[in-house]
Structures are given as C-alpha cells and as structure tokens.
Amino acid sequence: MLKRLLDIVMSVIALVVFSPFLLILAFLVRIKLGAPILYSQARPGMNNRIFTMLKFRSMTDDKDDQGNLLPDAERLPAFGRLLRSSSLDELPGLLNVLRGDMSIVGPRPLLVEYLSLYNDQQIRRHEMRPGITGWAQVNGRNALSWEQKFKYDLWYVDNQSIWLDLKIICMTVIKVFRRDGINQDGQATVDKFTGTTSGEQ
C-alpha cells in the first residue's frame, strides 16, 4: 500500500510540474517524427495481465520502395536517439503509473511474446507491477545480457522496499545524465529475447 501511495503521489506531482514541458515535447515529437505522438503497445504487467504501455514515439515510419518498414537503425533519427538516451520517451508512462498498470520502480515491462519463453524463475518478475525504471536499469540497462537482467529483476522482487525504491530513483537520475548503458554495442535497439539456453539460470 505504501509503494502504491508513493507511486500515485510522485506521478501526480511529476505530471503537474512537468506538464508545460510535456506539451512542448509532444509538439516536437509531432513535428520531427510525425503522428501519432504516443507509441502504445500491449505489455504484460503484474500477474501477466496485459495493459497498454505508453511512450513518446522515437522512430519514424519510413518505408522502402516495397512498402516495408526500414530497419530500426534507419528509422531512429538524432531526435529519437536523444529521447531514448535521456529517457524522455518514458515520461508518458507516468499515466500508466497513475492508472495502476505500472509502478515508478519495478521490472521493466517486456513483450507479450516473451511470456511463453520464461522459465519458472524468470516468470516471477510478474509478481509485482512493472516499472518505469528498475534495479536492472541502474545496473547496466540495455548493456546487460537477458540472463543478467532477469537476475537483477528477481533480486528486486525478493528484496523490494521503499528505501530501495528511493535509492533506485536517485540512481536513475544519475544514469540518465550520464547516459550509461543506453544500447547494446553497435545496435540501435536491443536484441529480442529468444529463451534461456540450456545451462543458463
């Protein structure tokens, strides 16, 4: 209950304080990247319940001569990279927090298609609400392997506390300013999870 109360208070304050900035950012996204301004996608939350996650779009819809979307790296312009590296694209997620779909801190919400790929331990990351930021994000973010991310997620599930959440929030601010671990080396986006191979935990 205390964690949920903290989520509500922090998300309301952030939305009110940053509302002028959010409007400016939405305008810039519309001008530079097109419509729709918000990117929405189904993601699994607590107890595997599916919800619609909101983010500012960071990629264009540019297509090749055959009408197929270009590779991610070619659809991620400088402005989109800035949104991602600064985590500004995550700000609409505060609405998800306010609605109860997400928490400020928790395991990051991943793709629905991953649900069938988790082992018995990895699926435990859905025992609590997913977060805008989390223990894995402040310990390497996208530079981590999938197995490392899951280990950090499960550690958080087993050790969550309000003090740990406040520590993660502070660490997140530092990480954002340093722009650590934004992408995997040499890639615009993260490789998809394809399941844990034999021998990996």
Side-chain angles (χ1 to χ4, degrees):
M1 290 298 295
L2 185 57
K3 180 177 174 64
R4 179 61 187 148
L5 179 60
L6 181 65
D7 284 339
I8 293 173
V9 171
M10 292 188 66
S11 58
V12 168
I13 291 175
L15 286 170
V16 171
V17 171
F18 294 114
S19 56
F21 176 69
L22 289 171
L23 290 174
I24 294 172
L25 196 57
F27 175 76
L28 291 174
V29 170
R30 178 65 179 85
I31 294 300
K32 293 180 176 294
L33 300 175
I37 294 171
L38 294 180
Y39 169 77
S40 61
Q41 188 178 50
R43 296 289 177 98
M46 186 167 65
N47 299 322
N48 303 340
R49 184 180 66 84
I50 307 302
F51 71 97
T52 301
M53 186 186 72
L54 301 175
K55 299 174 69 173
F56 279 125
R57 74 179 298 163
S58 58
M59 302 175 74
T60 67
D61 289 327
D62 293 344
K63 301 178 180 179
D64 59 23
D65 295 337
Q66 286 72 45
N68 301 311
L69 285 173
L70 294 173
D72 290 349
E74 297 181 38
R75 295 189 295 116
L76 186 64
F79 182 68
R81 289 195 298 272
L82 174 62
L83 289 178
R84 291 192 178 191
S85 64
S86 61
S87 295
L88 292 175
D89 61 326
E90 301 284 356
L91 290 178
L94 292 169
L95 295 173
N96 287 121
V97 174
L98 199 58
R99 293 191 311 199
D101 299 324
M102 295 178 63
S103 179
I104 298 292
V105 179
R108 285 291 297 161
L110 302 176
L111 300 178
V112 175
E113 65 193 71
Y114 294 172
L115 285 174
S116 62
L117 301 176
Y118 296 142
N119 62 31
D120 292 342
Q121 286 300 307
Q122 292 164 350
I123 196 68
R124 292 185 55 234
R125 68 192 310 279
H126 292 285
E127 292 177 1
M128 57 173 48
R129 290 184 179 89
I132 292 179
T133 186
W135 190 234
Q137 280 60 52
V138 298
N139 282 284
R141 202 172 174 179
N142 293 333
L144 297 172
S145 69
W146 280 110
E147 279 66 37
Q148 289 172 318
K149 290 179 185 178
F150 292 140
K151 286 180 180 179
Y152 281 122
D153 286 343
L154 294 179
W155 185 90
Y156 176 79
V157 169
D158 292 333
N159 294 276
Q160 187 276 327
S161 70
I162 295 301
W163 298 115
L164 178 58
D165 283 3
L166 293 175
K167 176 182 178 179
I168 292 173
I169 290 170
C170 292
M171 292 175 68
T172 298
V173 173
I174 295 173
K175 285 282 184 178
V176 167
F177 278 107
R178 291 180 178 175
R179 300 186 183 182
D180 290 339
I182 304 301
N183 293 317
Q184 292 178 331
D185 290 342
Q187 301 187 57
T189 54
V190 179
D191 282 335
K192 283 194 173 184
F193 177 61
T194 57
T196 300
T197 58
S198 179
E200 291 177 329
Q201 301 298 320

